[in-house]
Amino acid sequence: MRAAISGHVQEDTNPRPEFAVLGSLEVRSGSDFVSVNGALQRRVLVMLLLEAGRVVPVSRLVAAAWNEEPPDSAEHQVRKMVAKLRSRIPHGPDIIVTDGPGYRAVVDTEHLDLLRYQKLLRQARESLDARETERAAAQLREALALWRGPVLSGSGGRVVDAASTALEEQRLTAAEQLYDLCIDAGEAAGITGELRVLVDEHPLRETLRSRLMLALYHSGQQVAALAEFAHVRGHLADELGIDPGTELTGLHERILRQDPSLTRPELAASRVPHRVTEAPHSLPFDVPDFSGRTSELQWICDAGRRAPGGSPTVLALDGMGGGGKTALTVRAAHQLAEQYPQGSLFIDLHGFTPGQTPLSAFHAQGDLLATAGIPSEEIPTVPAGRAARWQSYMRGRRMLLVLDNAAASEQVRALIPASSDSLVLITSRPRLTGLDGVEWLSVGALPELDSHQLLRTTLGDARVEGEPDAARELLRLCGGLPLAVRIAAARLANRPHWTVERLVERLRDHDRRLDELTSEGRGVAGALLLSYQSMPPGQRTAFRLLGHHPGRYLDAEEAAALLDTDVLTAEGVLEELVDVRLLEAREPGVYALHDLVRSFVQRVAQDQRAPEDRQAVRRLLDYYLNTAERTCDTLFPGRRHFGDRDEEVRAGDEFDHKDKALQWLDQHRDSLLAAVNAAHQEGLLWHAARLPRELGFHSSIRGYDARANEALETGVSASRRLGNQSLTRLNLMNLAMGKWRLGQLREAVTQLEEAVELSRQMADEHSEAECLARLGQAHNSMGELERALRLNQEANRRAQELGFTRLAGSTLSTLSLTQVRLGRFEEAAESAQRAVTTFDSIKEIQLSVDALSNLSQAIEGLGRFEEALARADAALERCQRMSMPSVLPLVLARRADVLVRLGELEEAADSADHALAKATSSTADIHRATVHLAVGRVRYAQGDLDTAQAQQLLAHEIACRMELRYDEACALWGLARTAEAQGHPQVARQHRSAADNLFSLMKVPETAR
């Protein structure tokens, strides 16, 4: 083909592409891969290539592309896909031509692996007819080397898979012919490894099994040959309920009696002693869609290239099953192969292979020597001789050795060359700590970007880009585990009518997730089960008990509670689970369960539940409750103790400082939240009722009220089921305050009124005073100021009579805010100052922040602006010290208001912007209107009237929705000022009139507006 460029005729130098369909689809143009995106396009192209040279009707391409009922536009879509393929593939119009009712692929033998494969099989048959057995064997082996797996890696759909099945049968028949030739030529030992792999893939194919039995028998392994018969008999009975056929049974009987007809063919007399002249290369296929692991791959390659001479370099990769260790190692081995010119050997040690016993070092040495081309008669049959022969073979050679899927140090120690310049790459699930002189790399979960790239590579850009949010959620649910991502992508590729979101919805079902991530006998659950089954009984029991832990992260103290042991012993158990890669060590004493491991261990815990499990859960809940109570006692001094606890009980030494207590609650928050549900489900109602209180206290600092409220609602339910009025009252009050922070004021008042009634029924004066104070706080927010004033005055009086110091301080603080709103600034300042003094006396920091903020507001009302700013700064310092995200926006807004009064507008704007940013990320909606009002006042003072109006409108909308009457009136008052400044007097009058009406109803004087 020619192209006209700048008036000259120039030859198109693009080479014709090469196609590979025996496995995943590959299209190469020179050294470059040509990507074919989307499962439908790949199926259409592969269908054309499978029928290369023949016309494929459009109707057959439709059937190949869609597994089930195709859409009405299917034929049109096929034609569009062909057009895209022609434009994407170099020389596309010449390769995919329109012919009659369909299309025809025009490719020659050298450019399509399937045609080369079929040509070599024909030549092998011709060589056999001519009795040229050595030539036939070479042609068969060359043909079989082209096979990389089922067509489209098994994701081709019904029509393509049917063609793939026929090719697979052709391949197996060719392999059996090759192995017959090898056995007849006296090369049985050299093919046992290959035969084992094929038999594992097709355990019910008796003709393959017979070749393996013959190869083993002719290699001097009669016992192993007989064991293969036992294996296949068990498989056939379990899977099909039948016995082996007469041919295989007859072979078994002949091996048993050592029938002379089975005598190994003698080597030709003219044959010279074997010498290995050709470098062996047995690395597995390097998957083209390998993605990510850039740093790990670089680490292996750098270590392999800098390997010192005179001794082997041993690199080992460990990590949980399904983490992609083998794929990473094979990729690295292919990149390093040129550095090791005397060959590369690969062996699967079956450390964690379903249905396989791990290979001993003795058998592994035999398989490696056979793969290297050593005749069976030269491979010793006793361990010492075979070990010596292996070391002799490796001595002086610079080779690359991959020992994959190792289970234990003993498996690989005897395989490492004693003296050579070789590179040994080992993969294992546990870290093989019994090996010396090894450089280790732990392979963890894929980073998000690598997982995303793997999904795009395996599923196609179009589907990932079409549902970006669902794709991200899919990767989150797969937890960065390459096996999980590949299986998920395969399921979607096999179901083109599924959306990504549909699979995501199925994966969200915690109980089904592991089942969804299983395909064709391989899956995450199976990989984890092998690790679990390989552990000793005591370790399995410990792992099962850890399945009752409610969260992803756990520490040694939690494990000690579950396992009923001391912390040091529990830490040892956790470290053992880290060694077998069922736990991840995060920091000293803290461990993590991968999400999919967590699903697996929870399933194990449920399926193998034992009587002691309930006691383990109870111990963990006891630990949570006792520790959470101690931390909250440290953080909230002066709070009431519940139940029989002594009022003078102090937190333990480990929580002698607020920072330590807060850190413990922060680290365990998610587990504590989940523990409430676990306790309720287990029927441990006392724990389900008690624990939410501590979460409510913690949430008042950290601001996760929505989740804490769910726990408190569970606490209310558990308390009612227990029939415990005191606990019900406590949970109702704390739930009401959580709802107050979210601006759900009517619900909060309803729950508080029920709590007050319960307190009176129990004649519990302390509880009644607490509930009255909280009611006063809610009514203050709703603008019912006179009622709020009376409730807080009454609650304060009772608190002082009862000696309830903490409540006395909090009622004074709320009282001061109500007094500010009513314009009683002197009284407000006095109340707030008394509150600060009270809180300082008991070292209560959290509540003192509110009190200082209210004190600043009262002093501002008195016109003492510098002093008001100092109080606001003091509140900010304490707020930042405790890291209180729910209160921080309010304190910053308070500071901005005072700075406006001082004329410091630039600093006021900084503080207001900071407040707005923090309010946006905070869950405490109750303060959001106040923040918008403060920002509006700053912008008004700066002359930015449009922004001021926008902020005031936001404040008004929030205040109306939450029934915050005082904030609603303030927003209307601000809108009136802004409208007046904008030259809209009528709008200003309307807003001011509405504000005046609300202020009058609340009895707020003009001096406080």
Side-chain angles (χ1 to χ4, degrees):
M1 185 169 66
R2 297 174 181 269
I5 302 176
S6 303
H8 299 283
V9 176
Q10 177 176 309
E11 288 288 344
D12 187 345
T13 58
N14 282 339
R16 290 185 72 84
E18 297 181 10
F19 300 91
V21 297
L22 298 176
S24 58
L25 173 65
E26 289 184 14
V27 183
R28 283 180 179 270
S29 179
S31 60
D32 298 326
F33 279 103
V34 178
S35 62
V36 179
N37 296 327
L40 297 180
Q41 280 192 52
R42 288 196 290 270
R43 289 176 182 175
V44 167
L45 177 58
V46 165
M47 195 69 238
L48 290 168
L49 294 172
L50 288 173
E51 302 285 343
R54 295 189 289 272
V55 176
V56 183
V58 172
S59 59
R60 183 158 175 77
L61 293 175
V62 168
W66 285 273
N67 281 330
E68 299 175 5
E69 292 187 9
D72 294 338
S73 61
E75 291 193 2
H76 175 66
Q77 289 190 47
V78 165
R79 291 187 173 91
K80 285 180 64 178
M81 283 186 267
V82 169
K84 287 182 180 178
L85 289 169
R86 285 171 168 168
S87 64
R88 181 177 293 273
I89 298 171
H91 303 279
D94 296 335
I95 292 171
I96 304 175
V97 300
T98 304
D99 195 338
Y103 301 95
R104 177 167 49 87
V106 181
V107 290
D108 58 34
T109 303
E110 296 307 311
H111 292 95
L112 176 60
D113 62 346
L114 174 60
L115 294 180
R116 293 198 301 277
Y117 172 76
Q118 293 171 334
K119 178 181 178 181
L120 286 165
L121 291 183
R122 288 195 302 272
Q123 291 174 339
R125 285 195 295 273
E126 293 168 0
S127 297
L128 283 173
D129 291 341
R131 298 181 183 275
E132 298 175 349
T133 55
E134 288 189 11
R135 185 175 182 182
Q139 290 162 336
L140 286 169
R141 189 168 289 283
E142 186 179 352
L144 292 169
L146 294 171
W147 183 270
R148 297 174 290 114
V151 178
L152 277 181
S153 299
S155 62
R158 177 172 47 83
V159 175
V160 173
D161 286 351
S164 179
T165 300
L167 288 170
E168 171 73 354
E169 179 62 31
Q170 186 183 56
R171 171 217 176 195
L172 293 175
T173 301
E176 288 167 351
Q177 286 181 322
L178 171 63
Y179 298 138
D180 285 341
L181 293 174
C182 291
I183 292 170
D184 289 343
E187 300 170 356
I191 61 172
T192 55
E194 300 171 36
L195 269 166
R196 281 187 192 277
V197 173
L198 270 183
V199 167
D200 289 346
E201 292 176 1
H202 306 276
L204 301 180
R205 189 178 177 94
E206 295 184 38
T207 49
L208 264 180
R209 188 80 64 165
S210 68
R211 268 68 173 188
L212 177 56
M213 290 170 64
L214 277 172
L216 290 168
Y217 181 75
H218 286 165
S219 303
Q221 301 180 62
Q222 182 183 4
V223 174
L226 295 172
E228 288 300 323
F229 182 79
H231 288 157
V232 72
R233 181 168 56 191
H235 275 299
L236 289 169
D238 291 342
E239 299 292 332
L240 303 176
I242 61 175
D243 292 325
T246 55
E247 182 180 346
L248 196 62
T249 303
L251 176 61
H252 175 249
E253 293 173 353
R254 292 163 67 199
I255 291 175
L256 269 175
R257 64 174 186 267
Q258 298 186 355
D259 192 318
S261 66
L262 295 177
T263 302
R264 185 180 68 194
E266 294 296 331
L267 297 178
S270 61
R271 192 165 183 173
V272 297
H274 179 82
R275 293 290 181 270
V276 178
T277 57
E278 185 176 332
H281 294 283
S282 66
L283 292 178
F285 175 63
D286 181 18
V287 292
D289 57 6
F290 180 89
S291 299
R293 302 292 189 199
T294 304
S295 61
E296 293 93 337
L297 184 62
Q298 189 66 45
W299 181 85
I300 299 170
C301 291
D302 287 348
R305 292 181 181 121
R306 69 169 183 267
S311 63
T313 297
V314 184
L315 309 177
L317 283 67
D318 65 279
M320 67 179 288
K325 300 181 294 298
T326 299
L328 169 61
T329 305
V330 169
R331 169 58 60 99
H334 277 282
Q335 292 190 7
L336 290 167
E338 291 184 1
Q339 306 287 322
Y340 297 87
Q342 291 177 292
S344 51
L345 296 174
F346 175 95
I347 187 167
D348 183 352
L349 297 173
H350 297 303
F352 297 89
T353 303
Q356 291 283 339
T357 301
L359 282 182
S360 65
F362 174 77
H363 285 105
Q365 288 164 347
D367 287 352
L368 285 167
L369 286 168
T371 304
I374 305 299
S376 58
E377 66 271 14
E378 294 185 24
I379 301 176
T381 57
V382 295
R386 185 170 293 185
R389 181 68 180 89
W390 167 246
Q391 292 294 344
S392 175
Y393 171 78
M394 291 298 295
R395 183 176 297 113
R397 283 187 165 85
R398 182 173 173 80
M399 296 182 68
L400 195 157
L401 179 62
V402 179
L403 308 177
D404 185 50
N405 196 10
S409 301
E410 303 78 58
Q411 249 190 319
V412 298
R413 189 178 291 112
L415 303 178
I416 298 174
S419 59
S420 75
D421 295 341
S422 295
L423 172 65
V424 182
L425 302 178
I426 304 169
T427 73
S428 64
R429 293 192 186 180
R431 176 161 289 193
L432 307 182
T433 54
L435 296 177
D436 298 324
V438 176
E439 292 186 64
W440 282 98
L441 176 67
S442 291
V443 179
L446 278 173
E448 183 178 352
L449 287 177
D450 287 356
S451 294
H452 197 264
Q453 182 57 46
L454 176 58
L455 185 65
R456 294 173 72 96
T457 304
T458 52
L459 185 59
D461 292 342
R463 288 181 81 176
V464 175
E465 292 170 0
E467 297 180 78
D469 293 339
R472 280 192 294 272
E473 178 66 4
L474 176 67
L475 293 175
R476 187 190 69 78
L477 292 167
C478 289
L481 200 65
L483 175 62
V485 176
R486 286 184 178 278
I487 290 174
R491 286 178 69 80
L492 288 169
N494 287 337
R495 296 163 178 80
H497 57 287
W498 275 20
T499 61
V500 179
E501 179 61 32
R502 181 173 179 183
L503 180 57
V504 166
E505 288 171 0
R506 295 168 72 95
L507 290 174
R508 283 196 185 110
D509 185 340
H510 187 73
D511 295 331
R512 288 182 50 86
R513 188 176 305 165
L514 291 175
D515 297 328
E516 293 291 336
L517 294 175
T518 300
S519 177
E520 295 185 353
R522 70 170 188 159
V524 177
L528 296 173
L529 183 61
L530 289 167
S531 294
Y532 175 68
Q533 290 174 337
S534 70
M535 296 188 293
Q539 198 175 38
R540 285 204 299 270
T541 298
F543 183 61
R544 174 175 58 78
L545 288 177
L546 292 180
H548 293 292
H549 185 276
R552 182 184 174 192
Y553 300 97
L554 72 157
D555 57 31
E557 287 81 5
E558 293 167 279
L562 275 169
L563 304 179
D564 197 18
T565 187
D566 60 88
V567 173
L568 284 177
T569 302
E571 191 169 22
V573 172
L574 296 175
E575 288 295 335
E576 289 174 356
L577 292 171
V578 170
D579 289 341
V580 297
R581 293 302 174 257
L582 289 174
L583 272 185
E584 303 169 22
R586 287 304 178 97
E587 56 187 79
V590 178
Y591 302 83
L593 282 163
H594 187 282
D595 285 341
L596 296 175
V597 175
R598 187 170 161 227
S599 296
F600 172 76
V601 69
Q602 287 176 345
R603 177 180 291 185
V604 169
Q606 294 304 316
D607 292 347
Q608 302 179 20
R609 194 174 180 89
E612 65 267 22
D613 288 25
R614 183 177 172 85
Q615 289 303 316
V617 174
R618 185 186 293 274
R619 287 193 302 270
L620 179 63
L621 293 171
D622 284 341
Y623 165 74
Y624 280 153
L625 181 57
N626 294 334
T627 310
E629 283 182 336
R630 295 204 314 274
T631 58
C632 287
D633 286 347
T634 300
L635 286 168
F636 308 100
R639 72 174 192 152
R640 291 179 70 204
H641 294 149
F642 184 83
D644 298 330
R645 295 180 67 209
D646 188 337
E647 288 286 336
E648 297 303 319
V649 169
R650 307 284 294 180
D653 290 342
E654 69 270 36
F655 300 122
D656 57 356
H657 195 280
K658 291 181 186 294
D659 289 345
K660 292 181 182 178
L662 191 55
Q663 182 183 34
W664 188 91
L665 285 168
D666 289 344
Q667 289 176 344
H668 293 81
R669 181 182 82 180
D670 290 339
S671 294
L672 293 171
L673 286 164
V676 175
N677 285 331
H680 200 257
Q681 291 167 5
E682 287 283 339
L684 298 171
L685 300 179
W686 179 253
H687 299 83
R690 287 283 302 274
L691 195 52
R693 180 201 188 201
E694 315 311 324
L695 289 161
F697 268 92
H698 182 229
S699 178
S700 69
I701 296 178
R702 287 297 191 238
Y704 56 94
D705 296 293
R707 296 183 65 195
N709 287 355
E710 290 178 11
L712 284 160
E713 285 170 351
T714 301
V716 171
S717 172
S719 303
R720 294 192 198 280
R721 287 177 60 186
L722 285 170
N724 189 310
Q725 289 184 315
S726 183
L727 270 175
T728 303
R729 193 279 315 169
L730 181 69
N731 282 310
L732 279 169
M733 187 187 74
N734 288 326
L735 176 59
M737 296 319 297
K739 288 186 176 292
W740 172 80
R741 284 190 290 273
L742 294 177
Q744 299 165 7
L745 302 182
R746 291 294 174 187
E747 293 179 52
V749 168
T750 299
Q751 286 155 350
L752 286 169
E753 287 174 344
E754 182 183 353
V756 169
E757 182 58 31
L758 285 172
S759 300
R760 289 170 179 164
Q761 290 175 17
M762 295 182 293
D764 184 343
E765 295 184 11
H766 284 83
S767 296
E768 185 178 352
E770 274 190 296
C771 294
L772 289 173
R774 304 296 176 255
L775 266 175
Q777 192 172 344
H779 285 295
N780 179 73
S781 297
M782 295 169 70
E784 297 171 359
L785 303 181
E786 292 287 350
R787 187 173 182 185
L789 192 69
R790 290 194 302 272
L791 285 166
N792 274 291
Q793 287 171 336
E794 174 65 15
N796 181 257
R797 182 186 64 79
R798 294 192 186 194
Q800 293 189 54
E801 289 176 354
L802 294 168
F804 196 167
T805 307
R806 179 184 174 83
L807 183 62
S810 65
T811 52
L812 284 168
S813 181
T814 307
L815 189 62
S816 70
L817 181 57
T818 305
Q819 290 166 334
V820 164
R821 291 181 171 183
L822 290 170
R824 304 178 186 179
F825 298 121
E826 289 284 359
E827 296 176 39
E830 181 185 356
S831 297
Q833 184 59 64
R834 286 173 59 199
V836 172
T837 302
T838 301
F839 291 138
D840 287 349
S841 72
I842 60 172
K843 298 181 180 179
E844 164 58 66
I845 296 176
Q846 182 206 12
L847 295 179
S848 72
V849 172
D850 287 330
L852 281 166
S853 186
N854 294 340
L855 179 58
S856 169
Q857 197 167 354
I859 293 173
E860 180 191 338
L862 294 170
R864 306 196 314 251
F865 303 140
E866 292 286 354
E867 189 178 346
L869 181 60
R871 297 298 186 274
D873 286 342
L876 179 61
E877 185 276 326
R878 294 190 185 193
C879 185
Q880 291 174 329
R881 192 195 319 168
M882 285 287 285
S883 184
M884 298 165 59
S886 61
V887 181
L888 181 59
L890 186 67
V891 177
L892 289 166
R894 169 92 291 276
R895 190 170 182 275
D897 275 338
V898 182
L899 287 165
V900 168
R901 300 295 292 269
L902 287 167
E904 302 287 347
L905 298 187
E906 187 174 343
E907 190 177 353
D910 288 343
S911 192
D913 291 344
H914 192 189
L916 192 58
K918 291 298 181 182
T920 302
S921 60
S922 171
T923 60
D925 290 343
I926 192 68
H927 302 314
R928 206 178 298 273
T930 303
V931 171
H932 286 300
L933 286 171
V935 177
R937 284 189 283 267
V938 172
R939 297 303 178 221
Y940 177 86
Q942 290 180 315
D944 185 355
L945 300 180
D946 289 343
T947 303
Q949 182 187 48
Q951 292 296 316
Q952 289 155 356
L953 286 170
L954 279 171
H956 184 260
E957 184 275 325
I958 293 168
C960 290
R961 173 163 46 87
M962 295 185 184
E963 298 184 60
L964 305 172
R965 293 291 169 256
Y966 183 81
D967 288 333
E968 181 186 351
C970 289
L972 288 166
W973 190 266
L975 283 166
R977 283 205 312 168
T978 304
E980 193 170 55
Q982 290 174 322
H984 305 303
Q986 185 175 353
V987 174
R989 283 194 298 272
Q990 290 172 346
H991 287 321
R992 185 167 289 109
S993 175
D996 284 339
N997 288 337
L998 285 174
F999 281 135
S1000 296
L1001 286 172
M1002 293 182 286
K1003 299 184 180 179
V1004 175
E1006 289 190 11
T1007 56
R1009 300 179 187 180

